[in-house]
Amino acid sequence: MEFVRLSQNGRVAIATLDSPPVNALSAGLRRDLLAAIRQCAGDAGIDAIVIAAAGRAFIAGADISEFGRPPVQPILPEVLDAIEGCAKPVVAAIQGVALGGGLEVALACHGRVAAAGAKLGLPEIKLGIIPGAGGTQRLPRLIGGAKAFPMMLSGEPVSARGALELGLVDAVAETELLAEAVALAERLAKSGGLPRTGDRTDKLSAADREAFEGLAAQAGKSSADMPNAMALIEAVRAAYTAPLAEGLAQERALFLKLVVDERSKALRHLFFAEREAAKVPGIGAAVKPRKIAGAAVIGAGTMGGGIAMCFANAGIPVTLIETQQAQIDNGMNRIAAIYDMSVKRGSLTQERRDQRLALITPAVGLGAAAGADIVIEAAFEEMGVKQQIFGELDAIAKPGAVLASNTSYLDIPTIAAATRRPKDVLGMHFFSPANVMKLLEIVRPTGVADDVVVTAVALARELGKVPVVVGNGFGFVGNRMLEQRTRAAERLLIAGALPHEVDAALTGFGFKMGPFAMADLAGNDIGWRTRKSRGKTAAVADAICEAGWFGQKTGRGYYLYPEGARTGQRDPEVEALIAKVSQEQGVTRRSFTQEEILARLLDPMVNEGARILEEGIATRPGDIDVIWLYGYNWPAWRGGPMHWADGVGLDAIAARLAAQAAETGDPALEPAPLLRRLAAEGKGFASLKAAAA
Ligand code: 3HC
């Protein structure tokens, strides 16, 4: 056997799964596990079997990369039937994680022991599917449907202790996992009669069913747009109404239908893209990160304060620096208020709040950055300001400190040139609010030291962020594409659409907010200032700002917000203003369907994404998708802009862009050469291979 090692402890066989890195249930592992069970079942010298694991996971679940391909025998349900039906007791010794199919293996066993640090869960819902190897049938039988259903609906794992309380495991092993599992196996072998999860009905009482139906009714409303949540309800209900075999068949049919759905494909694409994005091309595993024991953040505004909170939340001491006492006081008060809100909501204890605040040291003057291993500058977005700060930092920061700018647009080498150590300088672009948004664009200019890049990636992980390494270039990846969408939205207004129609196209697509509601929330003056500094104009957006309609904070923007309302109402004055701009530009306004609006908003973004790939600013199309998922709330089940474009067909997108370029005379809308080439070859972005990893 290639992936399972068999050994013996007395009369108990130990089948150790060893398929690095996480024992995903690939065809090979399934084959070997089934063979191990059969071999032990037929061996007169063996009374019981323990399934254990080498490495950091018991089993991370089905092998997600096999989904959507023709099934390879034996399929997982067959392996589980062999385990549950085995005449000798089979016990799972769970260490690390038992997720998805991994927990389903454990459920089919006759006993389960978990290591104290283990995590157990059925996260299939996050991949757009439901458990497909008995999870929806066996978990309710073991712990009751009313407890099993929420676990599967959230997909969140439980701790070993939590699992013990639920009755999901028989014991928690503080130190000797294998010894306890062997002891349980021996006890079961002596007891006669095996506890088979599939045979149990005791937890599926009328009261439990009633509680489950209550939860299902709630989920039916709150998750009505999630086909897999609806399928989950149906499958769990079958646990109450049908015998095991029938319930398993129903579950399998639902699972197989969901697995080929575009939504699940998109979520799986993102799962792998996120992991791929963390791999930095051209830097080998031998390059180690520098040690980060303390940090400094320059600028205690919303962004700097949020970044400081990221460090404090991860337990890393951070000095927050401002130029004046009043500003640092304001910054610290803002941070305290955010933590207090979390305490009030119950997501943070008072003790933790105090600990986190104590990790943030307020200071006035750059001198306070002297002891930091990393300094992140989050000052005013102006090159002169940044250069001055980095020039001063050069004299203050300790040798080997990583110097990062949080700029969202500016040229990193120009900032680095203000120091005599450009090898230590890179961009770390957090997204607002920095303590919430998971994306971190790590901007890698040519000339930065490899270990500085690796340090930023490792730190991002420690801060709970999703790092994506990108190249240097105006707006990097995310904001550069966003600019295209912003321009497209303005163009649509002038051509005939209204703000609420444009926003509705994006919310209908799955975004939480459209561009105009978003601009009103963030403040229209921000974009105005940026445009002015770059000598750019946008007729409607500029006119709105000239009228002082900066958005929610002024009570009106693209929409009206009477009495502090959070949701905007249509504003006839804005609509008249837009019509006037159209007239001034000699445009005959026309109506647009929601599909047309959507295409006009997203196609230019995809086009820019293609240019970004051509220029090597992003390494892989998946990197762009991850950036849009975690930085701009792209709806996960749509897989990101490049994945979406592949689904639409690049030939269709190229043709639409060419038509728009001809209509507007805007060369930026001409299909990018890469897009043209792929479209002509009938390929998608997914066909592109990553640059040498
Ligand atoms: N299938 C295939 N590959 C997997 C995998 C899986 N289930 N789980 C992890 N991997 C791969 C990752 O892609 C990564 O590969 P790479 O090194 O080539 O990039 C490698 O294993 C390590 O993964 P991580 O980088 O994520 O390692 P971490 O230690 O950070 O996390 C983990 C480990 C918690 C197991 C995390 O990988 C995870 O959450 N995995 C997915 C778990 C899951 O969703 N399981 C359910 C699958 S669906 C299922 O079981 C259906 C069933 O009901 C029939």
Side-chain angles (χ1 to χ4, degrees), residues 1-249:
M1 279 182 274
E2 197 182 344
F3 301 109
V4 178
R5 286 195 313 271
L6 271 180
S7 57
Q8 221 167 313
N9 184 329
R11 293 182 61 81
V12 177
I14 298 166
T16 305
L17 315 184
D18 192 3
S19 179
V22 290
N23 283 330
L25 289 157
S26 62
L29 183 55
R30 294 195 303 272
R31 175 200 63 210
D32 289 357
L33 178 56
L34 183 60
I37 297 293
R38 285 186 177 152
Q39 186 179 323
C40 296
D43 186 337
I46 286 170
D47 294 341
I49 305 152
V50 167
I51 301 178
R56 65 185 201 255
F58 174 66
I59 301 170
D63 185 337
I64 302 168
S65 65
E66 286 183 1
F67 288 180
R69 302 207 196 133
V72 180
Q73 302 297 329
I75 59 169
L76 190 54
E78 191 185 331
V79 182
L80 302 199
D81 281 351
I83 294 174
E84 191 166 56
C86 185
K88 298 172 184 175
V90 186
V91 170
I94 301 165
Q95 68 184 56
V97 292
L99 296 175
L103 184 57
E104 289 172 307
V105 167
L107 288 170
C109 291
H110 310 107
R112 287 152 291 277
V113 183
K119 291 216 156 95
L120 302 86
L122 292 168
E124 285 86 344
I125 200 95
K126 297 181 183 177
L127 294 171
I129 51 176
I130 61 168
T136 66
Q137 304 306 299
R138 290 195 179 95
L139 191 62
R141 282 174 165 81
L142 193 62
I143 68 172
K147 289 190 175 142
F149 175 67
M151 211 174 135
M152 291 186 273
L153 186 66
S154 75
E156 288 302 317
V158 295
S159 65
R161 295 240 154 270
L164 186 65
E165 276 165 30
L166 285 167
L168 175 49
V169 296
D170 301 288
V172 173
E174 292 302 332
T175 50
E176 301 294 323
L177 173 66
L178 200 56
E180 289 205 30
V182 168
L184 175 61
E186 283 170 343
R187 278 202 306 280
L188 287 170
K190 283 190 193 117
S191 69
L194 288 178
R196 291 197 168 86
T197 314
D199 289 346
R200 285 179 62 170
T201 50
D202 53 306
K203 294 280 181 180
L204 300 173
S205 63
D208 181 64
R209 169 93 194 256
E210 202 184 319
F212 157 71
E213 291 296 350
L215 295 169
Q218 270 173 28
K221 286 188 204 132
S222 61
S223 309
D225 57 342
M226 287 170 63
N228 59 336
M230 299 306 104
L232 183 65
I233 295 173
E234 201 181 325
V236 173
R237 192 170 286 137
Y240 294 97
T241 57
L244 181 72
E246 213 175 287
L248 289 174

Side-chain angles (χ1 to χ4, degrees), residues 123-396:
E124 285 86 344
I125 200 95
K126 297 181 183 177
L127 294 171
I129 51 176
I130 61 168
T136 66
Q137 304 306 299
R138 290 195 179 95
L139 191 62
R141 282 174 165 81
L142 193 62
I143 68 172
K147 289 190 175 142
F149 175 67
M151 211 174 135
M152 291 186 273
L153 186 66
S154 75
E156 288 302 317
V158 295
S159 65
R161 295 240 154 270
L164 186 65
E165 276 165 30
L166 285 167
L168 175 49
V169 296
D170 301 288
V172 173
E174 292 302 332
T175 50
E176 301 294 323
L177 173 66
L178 200 56
E180 289 205 30
V182 168
L184 175 61
E186 283 170 343
R187 278 202 306 280
L188 287 170
K190 283 190 193 117
S191 69
L194 288 178
R196 291 197 168 86
T197 314
D199 289 346
R200 285 179 62 170
T201 50
D202 53 306
K203 294 280 181 180
L204 300 173
S205 63
D208 181 64
R209 169 93 194 256
E210 202 184 319
F212 157 71
E213 291 296 350
L215 295 169
Q218 270 173 28
K221 286 188 204 132
S222 61
S223 309
D225 57 342
M226 287 170 63
N228 59 336
M230 299 306 104
L232 183 65
I233 295 173
E234 201 181 325
V236 173
R237 192 170 286 137
Y240 294 97
T241 57
L244 181 72
E246 213 175 287
L248 289 174
Q250 281 191 33
E251 175 200 78
R252 192 76 189 159
L254 290 164
F255 169 84
L256 290 175
K257 200 166 144 207
L258 289 164
V259 106
V260 293
D261 189 283
E262 289 306 321
R263 283 168 270 219
S264 174
K265 279 188 202 161
L267 291 164
R268 272 143 41 202
H269 158 72
L270 286 170
F271 174 85
F272 288 114
E274 181 180 333
R275 278 148 186 89
E276 193 72 17
K279 291 169 192 150
V280 191
I283 303 186
V287 181
K288 298 291 173 219
R290 297 182 187 175
K291 193 169 166 340
I292 304 292
V297 175
I298 300 169
T302 314
M303 207 62 204
I307 298 171
M309 288 172 77
C310 295
F311 281 99
N313 296 352
I316 303 172
V318 55
T319 306
L320 185 58
I321 300 174
E322 260 299 348
T323 47
Q324 281 161 29
Q325 192 60 43
Q327 283 165 328
I328 193 67
D329 290 346
N330 279 346
M332 290 302 287
N333 288 341
R334 211 171 12 237
I335 291 172
I338 296 171
Y339 280 139
D340 287 342
M341 186 74 87
S342 304
V343 173
K344 212 167 141 195
R345 278 205 305 261
S347 57
L348 188 72
T349 63
Q350 183 69 33
E351 194 190 352
R352 290 222 141 190
R353 172 236 182 243
D354 295 346
Q355 283 167 354
R356 288 181 183 184
L357 261 184
L359 282 168
I360 307 177
T361 307
V364 173
L366 283 184
D373 299 308
I374 183 164
V375 184
I376 300 180
E377 165 277 317
F380 197 64
E381 193 74 339
E382 210 176 272
M383 185 52 92
V385 175
K386 311 258 182 207
Q387 282 187 309
Q388 187 177 348
I389 291 174
F390 276 77
E392 285 177 37
L393 269 182
D394 194 26
I396 292 166

Side-chain angles (χ1 to χ4, degrees), residues 528-610:
W528 194 31
R529 216 179 306 128
T530 313
R531 280 195 300 281
K532 278 191 194 166
S533 72
R534 295 170 60 204
K536 303 235 170 195
T537 57
V540 174
D542 291 349
I544 296 247
C545 288
E546 276 150 24
W549 302 339
F550 291 161
Q552 290 199 20
K553 61 186 172 190
T554 57
R556 63 191 299 184
Y558 287 94
Y559 300 100
L560 287 170
Y561 301 89
E563 288 153 29
R566 305 289 295 272
T567 316
Q569 297 169 2
R570 285 175 63 175
D571 182 347
E573 277 191 69
V574 166
E575 293 180 8
L577 180 152
I578 293 168
K580 190 161 153 265
V581 172
S582 305
Q583 197 186 16
E584 281 164 7
Q585 299 196 3
V587 176
T588 309
R589 293 178 65 77
R590 72 152 173 109
S591 63
F592 289 89
T593 65
Q594 292 281 285
E595 286 91 313
E596 279 177 311
I597 293 176
L598 193 65
R600 283 180 181 234
L601 289 173
L602 301 188
D603 292 353
M605 278 176 52
V606 170
N607 205 27
E608 199 64 23

